[in-house]
Amino acid sequence: MSILNTPLILLQDTAAIEGDMGMLWMLISGILVFFMQAGFFLVESGMTDSKNAVNIAMKNFLDVAVGSLAFWFVGYSLMYGADMGGGFFHWGGFIFSQGAADLFFQTVFAATAATIVSGAIAGRTKYTTYAIFSIIMTALIYPIAGGWEWNGGWLNNTDGIMPAEFIDFAGSSIVHSVGGWAALVAAWMVGPRIGKYLNGKPIEMHGHNQMYATLGVFILWLGWFGFNGGSQLAWGGDDAIAASQVVLVTNLAAAAGACGALLLTWVKNGKPNLGMTLNGALAGLVSITAGCGNMSEGGAVLAGLIGGILVVYAIGFVEKTLKIDDAVGAISVHGIAGAWGTLVIGLWGIDGDTGIGIFNGGGAAQLGAQAIGVLAYAAWAIGTSFIFLFILKKICGLRVTEAEEIAGLDISEHGTIAYPGKRQREME
């Protein structure tokens, strides 16, 4: 072997190692995102009545099991296949794949989008109807929307209506807002839980286990490091530095969101509120998901802080003004905070050392692009969700009967209960 060829061989070896490390990073990150389903289950069940805990467990398992198959069979193709029409629609054939690591990583994202709807309509929705809608979300609604940005779709086409390339690094709009707006339509169409409103005024319905909810948020916070960090899609050299920075700003935004909600509720109510603090942390995480690759550390703190404050007011607005019963605050945490997290890039986002947000000297082009994306994803999720849920309402109905809701969906939908000892004590 010639000594002159040594540098080339070393470069090839380095590239191979970084490729393998990148694949490993995506797989580990995907496993962390998969574990977020446990967090969603604990948050949703902890914030709702104990008589529906089995139903929520069944919905979260369904999102992973059925969603994995639906996304594998058709969803990934609709998201990452060839452009079939102006960047609005993609297709690569059934069971299309660009590699096992990427397919797995993208699959767990699809399951997350579907799960967001679950919490908002907890306690009164038919399991069969939810199962069908979960398939629609993971096979059609979410993948088509994802291709608009993550597969070089129309939101990246600056020769068209876009003033700049739309940025959504890990999915504030693509995953969270799409899920949040779908949850808004679903909660509105299903209607409020029995007893939620008295003479038009909302009644607080306490969850059965705040410790479950707290543990769930900790699990989600952990999983988000994979959700955002893994979206770098590579590891080694500059990619390793970038992914590490993404994880750092993700943590800072979550902490700021929790503090924002905690302090606001403390000032407003005289006591810090656990539920709102938990939702504040989640709102901080959602608020940084789009811009985690385009945000300074200080910018991430400010984005998360505002997200945590915003979600407190948003939950009240949805509940009191819109009179929509969202059992866990999913619409506000994912839909509204997701929109904010997307827009904030146009305010103080950065690209390396260059400012792209208006407060960093970047002009209004990026903010315009972010606004177009926010509106497009809202219109898509609301419109498609309404169409499919309207059809499902006519065919099989959305809501269980009043008697079934009062008895609890664990008994009426699944024939079992989560806490048999508790029910036995109540009967005695």
Side-chain angles (χ1 to χ4, degrees):
M1 180 180 67
S2 171
I3 192 169
L4 295 177
N5 293 328
T6 302
L8 177 61
I9 294 171
L10 289 175
L11 285 173
Q12 291 173 338
D13 289 345
T14 300
I17 292 170
E18 288 185 353
D20 290 344
M21 290 299 295
M23 190 180 300
L24 179 61
W25 172 241
M26 286 179 64
L27 288 172
I28 293 172
S29 296
I31 291 167
L32 285 173
V33 178
F34 179 92
F35 190 48
M36 289 173 70
Q37 290 293 331
F40 280 117
F41 160 67
L42 289 169
V43 169
E44 293 170 23
S45 62
M47 289 186 172
T48 54
D49 199 296
S50 62
K51 64 184 179 182
N52 300 312
V54 169
N55 177 256
I56 290 170
M58 287 294 294
K59 287 192 293 184
N60 278 270
F61 261 90
L62 177 110
D63 288 333
V64 173
V66 177
S68 292
L69 294 174
F71 192 76
W72 163 76
F73 187 68
V74 67
Y76 187 87
S77 179
L78 288 169
M79 197 165 181
Y80 288 104
D83 184 4
M84 304 297 288
F88 287 91
F89 184 80
H90 298 84
W91 182 247
F94 294 105
I95 315 180
F96 172 75
S97 174
Q98 297 181 117
D102 189 66
L103 175 57
F104 172 70
F105 185 72
Q106 302 301 336
T107 295
V108 290
F109 271 56
T112 299
T115 296
I116 291 168
V117 180
S118 170
I121 57 175
R124 71 267 200 202
T125 309
K126 287 185 175 181
Y127 187 73
T128 302
T129 303
Y130 178 80
I132 297 171
F133 188 69
S134 180
I135 295 172
I136 293 169
M137 277 289 292
T138 51
L140 297 173
I141 296 176
Y142 164 73
I144 292 174
W148 294 353
E149 152 69 350
W150 288 340
N151 192 20
W154 69 273
L155 288 173
N156 296 140
N157 183 10
T158 55
D159 294 329
I161 64 171
M162 299 301 293
E165 288 192 10
F166 175 73
I167 296 173
D168 191 349
F169 188 87
S172 284
S173 279
I174 297 169
V175 180
H176 295 284
S177 274
V178 166
W181 300 137
L184 173 69
V185 174
W188 171 65
M189 293 184 70
V190 172
R193 290 165 289 176
I194 295 172
K196 177 60 183 178
Y197 290 94
L198 180 63
N199 298 323
K201 295 183 178 181
I203 305 299
E204 187 172 1
M205 303 182 78
H206 296 283
H208 84 280
N209 196 320
Q210 293 194 68
M211 299 303 100
Y212 278 7
T214 303
L215 178 58
V217 170
F218 272 121
I219 290 173
L220 289 171
W221 193 329
L222 171 67
W224 232 288
F225 298 142
F227 198 99
N228 288 0
S231 294
Q232 184 69 27
L233 303 180
W235 187 270
D238 291 340
D239 286 314
I241 294 171
S244 299
Q245 183 69 15
V246 165
V247 171
L248 173 61
V249 298
T250 297
N251 187 60
L252 291 172
C259 289
L262 184 155
L263 292 172
L264 178 59
T265 56
W266 204 339
V267 171
K268 284 182 62 179
N269 306 324
K271 294 181 180 180
N273 182 280
L274 175 60
M276 284 295 185
T277 302
L278 297 177
N279 274 331
L282 295 178
L285 288 162
V286 173
S287 297
I288 195 59
T289 296
C292 54
N294 299 89
M295 199 69 60
S296 68
E297 293 166 21
V301 170
L302 186 57
L305 179 68
I306 294 174
I309 293 171
L310 179 64
V311 80
V312 175
Y313 289 109
I315 288 173
F317 176 77
V318 169
E319 182 179 73
K320 297 174 183 177
T321 304
L322 299 183
K323 289 184 168 48
I324 293 177
D325 179 18
D326 178 355
V328 300
I331 298 166
S332 302
V333 167
H334 300 278
I336 295 174
W340 158 246
T342 307
L343 289 171
V344 72
I345 298 170
L347 297 177
W348 55 77
I350 58 174
D351 184 6
D353 296 327
T354 304
I356 57 175
I358 57 175
F359 295 129
N360 284 330
Q366 193 64 55
L367 181 59
Q370 298 305 112
I372 291 170
V374 165
L375 292 174
Y377 282 116
W380 170 257
I382 290 171
T384 52
S385 296
F386 177 80
I387 291 169
F388 285 116
L389 287 170
F390 181 81
I391 294 171
L392 289 172
K393 183 177 182 178
K394 294 299 182 181
I395 295 175
C396 52
L398 300 179
R399 186 165 186 149
V400 299
T401 66
E402 181 177 345
E404 289 171 333
E405 183 177 345
I406 293 172
L409 300 191
D410 289 3
I411 286 291
S412 61
E413 291 282 276
H414 308 286
T416 187
I417 56 178
Y419 306 101
K422 179 176 182 293
R423 179 58 63 89
Q424 181 66 35
R425 291 193 299 272
E426 290 174 349
M427 293 175 63
E428 292 174 350

